[in-house]
């Protein structure tokens, strides 16, 4: 398989995934639709951002696909993989963030990506869940679905990818996880002549698994009554999401360092968030109970 073939087949997967996912999110929302905007990157490549705003279920949802290339990999790549420094690169991927309206519906993030730098190539990605209110039933469903997804592919180790996710989506300055984790992987380059095909199959199945992992939770919580207290707590927890994306998120850094479309990059931020000085939830409250969900747990085994 030639370089052109691999780039085309992965980019086509990302674009078809965008279509399927947006259709599914529109179907469950029943109120708003995604608006698409394509963009071109002066240094090479471009993409299409699809964004839903002011929906009945999703206050904001974005599903982006991009394919960019350049003469030299940006620092966010070579600092993680020193051997790629100074190499030409190609990158394509799909990324999505969904910020629900109802505080009892968790926010969701996923991305799958493919990189080439010089003669090297690898896949990365994953998905994670960020609830404002913790429900063990939801956490178990999410992690069991991801465990079963990984079990279908010998190249994937759920436990290893879960630990990687727990460590990555961690706010060091807060000493807490962003949410209840999920799976996260990078540097996926299986050995053997069929290494690319096996990695591609894993990523393709991952895009399909998004709907199985997330939508049953959305349907379970989307009609739960809530009031001003729950809304204010949701906005407070969204502040943590903003902090992570602007301080630690590699995808945000890569997009900014490669001159990507700013609106598409910052689409991941919630439409509203709040911060409160030295806020502590009331002891014994549902808000205080959320602290136990922001620690690594073996949800798939509970």
């Amino acid at each position: 398989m030639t370089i052109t073939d691999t780039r085309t087949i992965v980019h086509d997967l990302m674009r078809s995934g965008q279509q399927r996912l947006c259709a599914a999110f529109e179907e469950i929302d029943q109120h708003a639709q995604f608006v698409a905007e394509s963009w071109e990157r002066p240094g090479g490549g471009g993409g299409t951002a699809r964004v839903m705003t002011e929906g009945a279920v999703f206050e904001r949802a974005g599903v982006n696909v991009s394919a960019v290339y350049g003469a030299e990999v940006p620092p966010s790549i070579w600092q993680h993989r020193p051997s790629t420094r100074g190499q030409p690169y190609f990158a394509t991927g799909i990324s999505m963030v969904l910020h629900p309206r109802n505080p009892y519906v968790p926010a969701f993030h996923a991305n799958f990506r493919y990189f080439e730098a010089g003669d090297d190539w690898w896949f990365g990605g994953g998905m994670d869940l960020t609830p404002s209110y913790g429900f063990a039933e939801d956490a178990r469903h999410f992690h069991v679905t991801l465990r079963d997804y990984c079990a279908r592919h010998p190249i994937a180790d759920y436990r290893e990818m879960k630990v990687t996710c727990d460590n990555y989506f961690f706010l060091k300055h807060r000493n807490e996880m962003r949410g209840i984790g999920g799976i996260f992987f990078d540097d996926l380059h299986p050995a053997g002549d069929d290494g690319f095909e096996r990695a591609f199959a894993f990523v393709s199945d991952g895009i399909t698994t998004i709907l199985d992992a997330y939508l049953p939770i959305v349907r379970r919580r989307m009609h739960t009554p809530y009031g001003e207290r729950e809304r204010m707590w949701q906005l407070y927890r969204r502040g943590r999401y903003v902090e992570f994306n602007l301080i630690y998120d590699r995808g945000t850094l890569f997009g900014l360092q490669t001159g990507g479309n700013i609106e598409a990059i910052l689409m991941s931020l919630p439409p509203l968030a709040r911060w409160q000085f030295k806020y502590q939830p009331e002891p014994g409250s549902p808000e205080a109970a959320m602290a136990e969900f922001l620690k690594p747990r073996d949800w798939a085994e509970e």
Side-chain angles (χ1 to χ4, degrees):
M1 186 176 294
T2 67
I3 290 177
T4 301
D5 289 337
T6 57
R7 292 181 179 185
T8 299
I9 194 173
V10 179
H11 190 208
D12 286 348
L13 172 67
M14 304 306 178
R15 290 190 295 180
S16 64
Q18 184 185 46
Q19 294 287 343
R20 287 186 283 116
L21 291 167
C22 288
F25 298 146
E26 286 180 346
E27 181 179 5
I28 198 170
D29 191 273
Q30 291 288 304
H31 177 75
Q33 293 184 323
F34 284 88
V35 175
E37 180 175 327
S38 297
W39 54 275
E40 294 184 3
R41 176 177 169 271
T48 299
R50 300 191 67 183
V51 180
M52 174 194 291
T53 57
E54 298 301 327
V57 175
F58 301 112
E59 193 170 5
R60 173 179 290 164
V63 184
N64 295 342
V65 168
S66 64
V68 299
Y69 54 89
E72 187 173 329
V73 296
S76 60
I77 299 298
W78 62 254
Q79 287 173 354
H80 182 60
R81 298 173 70 96
S83 63
T84 66
R85 186 167 186 173
Q87 296 293 318
Y89 72 92
F90 169 83
T92 185
I94 182 171
S95 62
M96 68 212 68
V97 176
L98 293 94
H99 291 291
R101 183 174 299 281
N102 191 311
Y104 290 104
V105 180
F108 175 79
H109 158 264
N111 76 81
F112 291 96
R113 56 197 182 276
Y114 172 71
F115 288 95
E116 292 176 2
D119 295 327
D120 195 8
W121 63 265
W122 66 96
F123 285 90
M127 62 188 87
D128 66 287
L129 203 65
T130 307
S132 296
Y133 288 93
F135 295 95
E137 179 185 15
D138 296 348
R140 282 194 294 269
H141 166 83
F142 189 70
H143 277 275
V144 167
T145 303
L146 297 187
R147 181 197 64 189
D148 294 348
Y149 154 53
C150 291
R152 295 194 291 269
H153 301 270
I155 63 173
D157 185 322
Y158 163 75
R159 288 192 172 275
E160 179 180 326
M161 292 181 177
K162 178 190 180 298
V163 170
T164 301
C165 186
D166 289 343
N167 292 337
Y168 178 71
F169 291 104
F170 186 80
L171 289 88
K172 301 177 182 65
H173 62 288
R174 299 284 189 180
N175 195 34
E176 67 181 33
M177 293 172 58
R178 187 174 78 173
I180 63 164
I183 59 169
F184 186 75
F185 64 96
D186 209 347
D187 307 322
L188 183 64
H189 183 146
D193 293 338
D194 64 345
F196 177 87
E197 287 75 13
R198 289 187 291 151
F200 179 85
F202 177 62
V203 169
S204 179
D205 192 13
I207 294 173
T208 300
T209 300
I210 287 170
L211 301 179
D212 297 331
Y214 184 51
L215 291 193
I217 299 172
V218 176
R219 294 189 181 96
R220 186 182 299 141
R221 306 296 172 193
M222 59 190 278
H223 297 302
T224 304
Y226 67 92
E228 185 68 11
R229 170 176 172 161
E230 291 81 11
R231 176 62 168 170
M232 289 297 101
W233 173 248
Q234 178 193 43
L235 298 184
Y236 177 76
R237 290 303 309 168
R238 281 181 178 178
R240 298 291 204 268
Y241 206 99
V242 173
E243 290 176 21
F244 181 88
N245 276 34
L246 295 183
I247 298 173
Y248 303 113
D249 190 81
R250 289 185 202 159
T252 301
L253 292 175
F254 176 81
L256 295 175
Q257 290 174 357
T258 57
N261 181 275
I262 296 299
E263 295 299 325
I265 296 167
L266 298 183
M267 170 277 301
S268 63
L269 300 180
L272 295 171
R274 67 187 287 258
W275 287 262
Q276 185 170 333
F277 183 67
K278 299 185 70 173
Y279 172 72
Q280 293 293 329
E282 180 183 348
S285 67
E287 293 79 15
M290 188 61 202
E292 292 303 310
F293 283 77
L294 302 177
K295 301 174 182 178
R297 289 172 62 174
D298 291 329
W299 291 108
E301 304 303 322
E302 294 187 9

